[in-house]
């Protein structure tokens, strides 16, 4: 089983619908992140969390919200989806004790907004 | 100017050749540098990181860093068809966390058998 699990893996929805992408991890890492990936633009940071009580905006947080329900769970919500939010979304974790800055990614959630 | 720039490719090399992937970055405060490999439809996975100027070797992979020129590269020796993937360059202001990790758009590498 994957150490960082995302659900759903694929989702097609309509403009205006609320969508939640969930992420859970068994790595025991405190730090969790949500990125989106678009062709030609690379990975861009949406939100990050260093512990359950800490939530921070990334470079493209508009239109998104997050919830850190537990150390192991970090959810991303689109309150009212729009077509330009169609992308591949990745959850990632990192271990601040390792001091390498390495990110461990989930398998991705492909979201299509019609 | 993008913070991390890479040639999008595709870079095509024959099997057994050396593949050279390049990356430039704009923030002189960047302190740690990463190369991730991403197969089509899969998630990125770390293959190399480097903090200091010079070369760092790991098997067939060598990362090279030149902070004065704000340049980082990845050399893949004896390229194999299984190396065909997109290679993402990433830079980080600190050497922990990842919240300041900025990714390039990636270079597609194709190794011809």
């Amino acid at each position: 089983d994957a150490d960082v699990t995302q659900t759903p893996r694929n989702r097609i929805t309509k403009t205006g619908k609320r969508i939640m992408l969930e992420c859970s991890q068994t790595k025991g890492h405190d730090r969790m992140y949500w990125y989106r990936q678009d062709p030609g633009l690379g990975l861009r940071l949406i939100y990050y969390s260093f512990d359950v009580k800490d939530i921070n905006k990334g470079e493209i947080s508009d239109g998104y919200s997050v919830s850190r329900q537990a150390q192991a769970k970090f959810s991303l919500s689109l309150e009212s989806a729009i077509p330009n939010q169609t992308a591949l979304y990745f959850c990632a974790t990192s271990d601040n004790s390792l001091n390498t800055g390495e990110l461990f990614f989930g398998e991705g959630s492909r979201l299509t907004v019609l | 100017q993008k913070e991390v720039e890479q040639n999008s490719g595709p870079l095509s090399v024959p099997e057994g050749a050396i593949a050279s992937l390049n990356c430039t970055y704009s923030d002189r405060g960047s302190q740690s540098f990463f190369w991730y490999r991403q197969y089509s439809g899969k998630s990125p996975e770390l293959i190399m990181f480097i903090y200091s100027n010079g070369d760092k070797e790991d098997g067939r992979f060598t990362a090279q860093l030149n902070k004065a020129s704000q340049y980082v590269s990845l050399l893949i020796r004896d390229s194999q068809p299984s190396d065909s993937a997109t290679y993402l360059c990433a830079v980080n202001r600190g050497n922990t966390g990842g919240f300041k990790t900025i990714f390039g758009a990636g270079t597609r590498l194709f190794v011809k058998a």
Side-chain angles (χ1 to χ4, degrees):
Chain A
D1 290 341
D3 293 327
V4 184
T5 303
Q6 293 182 228
T7 56
R9 296 290 311 282
N10 288 283
R11 182 72 183 268
I12 299 174
T13 190
K14 295 183 178 180
T15 297
K17 294 292 188 181
R18 184 178 186 272
I19 296 296
M20 178 180 285
L21 305 179
E22 298 183 328
C23 177
S24 63
Q25 52 113 346
T26 58
K27 299 188 78 67
H29 293 169
D30 287 327
R31 301 183 174 190
M32 299 187 72
Y33 313 81
W34 276 104
Y35 285 88
R36 67 176 278 176
Q37 187 173 39
D38 300 275
L41 295 178
L43 287 158
R44 292 181 292 166
L45 183 62
I46 306 171
Y47 271 95
Y48 61 99
S49 169
F50 283 178
D51 63 42
V52 175
K53 297 180 181 179
D54 177 78
I55 301 289
N56 303 281
K57 293 182 178 180
E59 58 181 311
I60 55 163
S61 59
D62 287 349
Y64 301 95
S65 62
V66 291
S67 173
R68 185 80 183 267
Q69 300 96 323
Q71 188 216 29
K73 295 183 182 295
F74 193 35
S75 300
L76 176 72
S77 293
L78 289 69
E79 296 301 324
S80 180
I82 56 177
N84 76 0
Q85 291 177 313
T86 293
L88 182 58
Y89 290 84
F90 285 103
C91 175
T93 72
S94 69
D95 182 351
N96 55 318
S97 68
L98 283 181
N99 225 33
T100 64
E102 178 179 0
L103 295 171
F104 297 86
F105 288 88
E107 296 165 307
S109 296
R110 186 169 295 280
L111 176 65
T112 302
V113 184
L114 302 177
Chain B
Q1 180 189 11
K2 292 182 180 179
E3 290 193 58
V4 180
E5 296 214 48
Q6 298 180 252
N7 188 321
S8 62
L11 172 65
S12 183
V13 300
E15 184 176 359
I18 295 175
S20 177
L21 305 166
N22 304 313
C23 173
T24 58
Y25 60 95
S26 61
D27 186 352
R28 285 193 174 275
S30 300
Q31 297 180 16
S32 48
F33 306 86
F34 306 87
W35 284 99
Y36 286 82
R37 178 177 60 201
Q38 186 176 23
Y39 291 114
S40 180
K42 302 297 184 181
S43 57
E45 56 178 341
L46 183 71
I47 52 172
M48 291 285 290
F49 65 88
I50 186 167
Y51 300 147
S52 303
N53 276 329
D55 295 357
K56 179 181 179 182
E57 187 175 319
D58 184 1
R60 296 186 297 113
F61 299 97
T62 298
Q64 299 175 315
L65 175 61
N66 184 326
K67 288 186 177 180
S69 300
Q70 296 176 244
Y71 176 93
V72 58
S73 65
L74 179 70
L75 300 178
I76 306 175
R77 290 181 299 281
D78 188 24
S79 294
Q80 302 297 309
S82 59
D83 295 325
S84 298
T86 297
Y87 289 81
L88 305 174
C89 173
V91 304
N92 194 337
R93 226 173 237 249
N95 61 359
T96 59
F99 65 96
K100 286 292 188 183
T101 300
I102 305 298
F103 285 84
T107 298
R108 285 176 51 213
L109 173 66
F110 178 61
V111 180
K112 298 175 292 185

